[in-house]
């Protein structure tokens, strides 16, 4: 069986980075060591099953761009990213990654290697569990609402979140999903336009789509019935109602 790989990103080599490499090898995974540049990360990102970033004392704009690139790939490729850094950086850095939810995990320095081992094993265990779940893509320009929906559904479904129509199209070019929960009203490209684009492409035309809509817009869904959405769910729906609706859809 081919060993899974873990990408370890750092600004420079150090004793702790070498210790992380050793720990990854002890756990029978293949460490891929790379410098914290988009170019270096790009050449290795698809090969790895998990990303670990060891942060420097001062995170420069260049380093942050590399982290965000890594985060985009973690989301699109359905992989976890571990961030290891000084506790004073935690709030600042993690605020940039809220859209990833539990897919991003923070470790304070000095690093507890036993904790790292537990979390690596848990991440791969979660990946195996998610593989058997139905996968849902939530498309909503309100990150707070999208995160809430993800939190509600995470126990029963594998949930990904994007915040625009363009991100939705890009995500679906690299991933397969079983259902899309699509915000009806979004700036630039609204829900009906996104659905129209999905229905016009062979690779996405058959993906089920349910609109997320406000009470004042539920009648508008009828105007796009020719595009064959699977219905709508009111944004005022409770957690229980949302889960019931989605369960009923998959039962059908």
């Amino acid at each position: 069986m081919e060993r899974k790989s873990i990408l370890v990103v750092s600004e420079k080599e150090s004793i702790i980075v070498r210790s992380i490499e050793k720990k990854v090898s002890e756990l029978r995974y293949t460490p891929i060591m790379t410098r914290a540049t988009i170019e270096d990360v790009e050449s290795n990102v698809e090969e790895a099953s998990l990303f670990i970033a060891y942060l420097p004392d001062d995170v420069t704009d260049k380093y942050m761009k590399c982290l965000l690139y890594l985060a985009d790939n973690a989301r699109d490729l359905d992989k976890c990213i571990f961030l290891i850094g000084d506790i004073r950086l935690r709030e600042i850095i993690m605020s940039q990654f809220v859209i990833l939810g539990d897919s991003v995990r923070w470790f304070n320095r000095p690093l507890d290697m036993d904790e790292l081992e537990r979390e690596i094993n848990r991440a791969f265990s979660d990946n195996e569990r998610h593989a058997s779940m139905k996968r849902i893509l939530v498309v909503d320009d309100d990150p707070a609402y999208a995160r809430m929906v993800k939190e509600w559904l995470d126990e029963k479904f594998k949930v990904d979140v994007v915040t625009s129509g363009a991100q939705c199209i890009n995500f679906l070019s690299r991933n397969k999903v079983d259902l899309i929960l699509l915000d009806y009203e979004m700036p630039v490209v609204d829900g009906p336009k996104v659905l129209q684009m999905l229905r016009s492409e062979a690779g996405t035309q058959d993906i089920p789509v349910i609109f997320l809509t406000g009470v004042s817009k539920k009648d508008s869904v009828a105007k796009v019935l020719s595009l064959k959405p699977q219905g709508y769910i009111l944004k005022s729906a409770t957690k229980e109602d949302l889960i019931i609706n989605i369960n009923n859809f998959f039962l059908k």
Side-chain angles (χ1 to χ4, degrees):
M1 182 182 294
E2 184 179 355
R3 292 174 66 179
K4 293 182 178 179
S5 301
I6 296 179
L7 182 65
V8 181
V9 180
S10 61
E11 188 175 53
K12 60 184 179 182
E13 188 175 353
S14 65
I15 294 175
I16 188 62
V17 170
R18 288 195 293 272
S19 297
I20 294 171
E21 180 181 12
K22 181 181 178 182
K23 174 59 69 176
V24 169
S25 296
E26 288 175 351
L27 295 173
R28 300 187 180 277
Y29 300 114
T30 300
I32 303 174
M33 313 305 290
T34 186
R35 298 292 295 275
T37 68
I38 290 178
E39 293 75 20
D40 289 341
V41 168
E42 184 179 19
S43 62
N44 294 291
V45 71
E46 293 200 12
E47 183 180 349
S49 301
L50 173 69
F51 308 144
I52 298 177
Y54 187 78
L55 279 58
D57 293 333
D58 295 305
V59 177
T60 63
D61 289 343
K62 183 178 180 180
Y63 194 99
M64 179 56 74
K65 288 179 181 178
C66 179
L67 285 181
L68 293 175
Y69 175 80
L70 201 61
D72 285 342
N73 280 276
R75 180 192 64 200
D76 291 347
L77 299 173
D78 191 26
K79 298 174 182 179
C80 283
I81 176 172
F82 290 180
L83 303 176
I84 303 168
D86 192 296
I87 191 171
R88 64 184 175 82
L89 297 174
R90 176 172 181 165
E91 184 175 349
I92 298 172
I93 299 296
M94 290 296 284
S95 66
Q96 303 294 316
F97 294 87
V98 290
I99 200 72
L100 294 180
D102 291 338
S103 294
V104 60
R105 301 174 192 176
W106 178 271
F107 299 80
N108 290 330
R109 290 183 1 218
L111 178 61
D112 182 334
M113 285 296 174
D114 290 335
E115 180 188 11
L116 180 64
E117 177 177 342
R118 287 194 300 271
E119 290 302 309
I120 288 175
N121 290 331
R122 185 162 76 92
F124 282 110
S125 176
D126 287 347
N127 285 344
E128 292 176 2
R129 180 173 61 87
H130 286 159
S132 64
M133 291 179 170
K134 295 291 188 182
R135 190 171 189 181
I136 298 173
L137 177 63
V138 179
V139 186
D140 198 299
D141 67 303
D142 182 350
Y145 177 78
R147 287 197 303 273
M148 180 183 72
V149 171
K150 176 177 171 59
E151 290 171 1
W152 285 357
L153 301 179
D154 260 346
E155 290 184 8
K156 297 196 64 173
F157 306 99
K158 173 68 184 89
V159 184
D160 300 282
V161 171
V162 295
T163 56
S164 71
Q167 289 180 8
C168 171
I169 300 299
N170 180 60
F171 181 91
L172 293 172
S173 70
R174 305 173 66 177
N175 299 277
K176 293 182 178 181
V177 301
D178 299 293
L179 173 66
I180 299 173
L181 298 181
L182 178 60
D183 186 13
Y184 193 90
E185 286 191 290
M186 292 188 294
V188 186
V189 182
D190 63 12
K193 183 63 176 178
V194 172
L195 180 56
Q196 185 177 13
M197 289 190 290
L198 295 176
R199 294 294 184 251
S200 66
E201 296 292 333
T204 58
Q205 63 184 5
D206 295 325
I207 300 176
V209 174
I210 294 177
F211 280 116
L212 297 170
T213 180
V215 175
S216 62
K217 291 294 179 180
K218 65 180 182 179
D219 293 336
S220 301
V221 176
K223 299 177 183 178
V224 292
L225 288 181
S226 62
L227 297 175
K228 299 181 180 179
Q230 275 59 47
Y232 71 88
I233 297 175
L234 295 179
K235 284 194 168 185
S236 58
T238 64
K239 174 182 177 179
E240 291 73 20
D241 287 340
L242 180 63
I243 292 174
I244 288 172
N245 272 279
I246 294 175
N247 281 337
N248 287 342
F249 164 76
F250 283 123
L251 285 173
K252 291 177 183 178

